[in-house]
């Protein structure tokens, strides 16, 4: 009983320490939430959201429509669905070379991620281009295995591109409407403020 009371006391203390208004945030470039909203509306500054955090929020269904939540779940299951499809195809058709598609799909899922554009740059662009070129070639030359592989690669690329963008857009819009959400993301270092002149502010640095 005493232990339970101590736990509740600690939880209450943590809850009381949570910052819920912009005025309490450290290093935030605006004095109030209304001032931030005005600057965002005028195009002076805009919030930047971490893609991974935005996707997690979308998966939870908070500040996002159910269709986006469904899309994020599909994105999570996509590599497993694709891998299972190729395994079943290889077993049924006894074309064991189809299993070589599995490491290709794994690599593609990693490289096609939007964040990989900075790290891989031209290599990522080349792989995307080859996926589309292979899709066209496989369709014209009637090569079903190559067509399936290239089509899957294109779907992975498109799914990652669109779903992450939608998740970021919805959460960015929510940040501009809900002060408590802005505070949570700012303190969690998942939010930054970008100004039109190139200046960028984070919770712990400018």
């Amino acid at each position: 009983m005493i232990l339970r009371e101590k736990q509740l006391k600690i939880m209450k203390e943590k809850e009381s320490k949570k910052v819920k208004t912009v005025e309490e945030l450290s290093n935030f470039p605006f004095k109030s939430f209304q001032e931030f909203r005005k600057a965002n509306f005028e195009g002076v500054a805009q919030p930047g959201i971490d893609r991974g955090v935005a996707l997690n929020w979308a998966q939870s269904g908070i500040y996002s429509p159910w269709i986006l939540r469904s899309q994020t779940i599909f994105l999570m299951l996509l590599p497993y669905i694709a891998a299972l499809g190729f395994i079943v195809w290889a077993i049924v058709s006894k074309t064991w070379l189809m299993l070589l598609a599995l490491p290709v799909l794994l690599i593609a899922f990693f490289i096609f991620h939007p964040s990989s554009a900075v790290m891989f740059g031209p290599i990522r662009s080349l792989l995307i281009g080859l996926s589309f070129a292979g899709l066209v070639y496989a369709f014209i030359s009637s090569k079903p295995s190559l067509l399936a592989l290239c089509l899957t690669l294109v779907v992975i690329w498109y799914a990652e591109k669109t779903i992450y963008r939608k998740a970021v857009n919805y959460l960015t819009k929510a940040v501009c409407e809900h002060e408590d959400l802005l505070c949570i993301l700012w303190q969690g270092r998942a939010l930054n403020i970008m100004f039109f002149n190139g200046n960028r502010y984070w919770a712990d640095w400018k």
Side-chain angles (χ1 to χ4, degrees):
M1 185 69 178
I2 296 175
L3 180 61
R4 178 60 177 168
E5 288 178 355
K6 287 183 178 180
Q7 289 175 336
L8 289 172
K9 184 178 180 181
I10 293 172
M11 289 175 64
K12 288 180 180 179
E13 288 177 354
K14 287 183 178 180
E15 185 69 25
S16 63
K17 291 179 181 179
K18 286 183 179 179
V19 174
K20 298 180 180 179
T21 62
V22 165
E23 288 83 354
E24 301 175 83
L25 292 177
S26 60
N27 204 36
F28 196 73
F30 297 100
K31 296 180 180 179
S32 68
F33 185 61
Q34 294 303 321
E35 184 180 331
F36 160 71
R37 292 191 64 182
K38 182 174 182 293
N40 179 68
F41 179 77
E42 294 175 348
V44 176
Q46 61 179 349
I49 307 288
D50 181 88
R51 291 189 186 96
V53 172
L55 191 68
N56 289 335
W57 278 81
Q59 289 170 356
S60 67
I62 304 174
Y63 301 115
S64 61
W66 67 269
I67 189 169
L68 179 58
R69 185 182 184 188
S70 301
Q71 289 174 336
T72 58
I73 294 173
F74 168 74
L75 180 61
M76 290 174 58
L77 297 176
L78 181 57
Y80 303 102
I81 295 172
L84 181 61
F86 279 97
I87 291 173
V88 171
W89 190 343
I91 294 173
V92 172
S93 65
K94 299 188 184 303
T95 309
W96 306 114
L97 286 176
M98 292 296 295
L99 296 178
L100 294 176
L102 300 182
V104 175
L105 295 176
L106 180 62
I107 294 171
F109 196 81
F110 175 71
I111 292 182
F112 288 172
H113 189 283
S115 300
S116 298
V118 177
M119 184 181 301
F120 295 101
I123 297 176
R124 180 176 181 271
S125 300
L126 177 62
L127 289 177
I128 293 172
L130 288 175
S131 299
F132 278 95
L135 181 63
V136 174
Y137 171 75
F139 180 78
I140 295 174
S141 58
S142 299
K143 296 182 181 296
S145 56
L146 181 60
L147 180 64
L149 175 60
C150 292
L151 182 60
T152 304
L153 292 176
V154 170
V155 170
I156 290 174
W157 165 77
Y158 182 76
E160 290 201 305
K161 175 185 176 182
T162 56
I163 294 173
Y164 272 97
R165 186 182 69 244
K166 287 181 179 180
V168 169
N169 289 343
Y170 274 106
L171 194 57
T172 300
K173 182 180 179 181
V175 160
C176 298
E177 297 175 352
H178 302 278
E179 186 172 7
D180 58 337
L181 175 62
L182 184 149
C183 293
I184 291 172
L185 295 178
W186 183 262
Q187 293 175 96
R189 294 175 174 80
L191 170 70
N192 65 85
I193 303 298
M194 300 174 289
F195 283 83
F196 72 97
N197 60 1
N199 287 340
R200 188 187 295 258
Y201 285 80
W202 294 82
D204 50 3
W205 62 276
K206 173 185 175 184

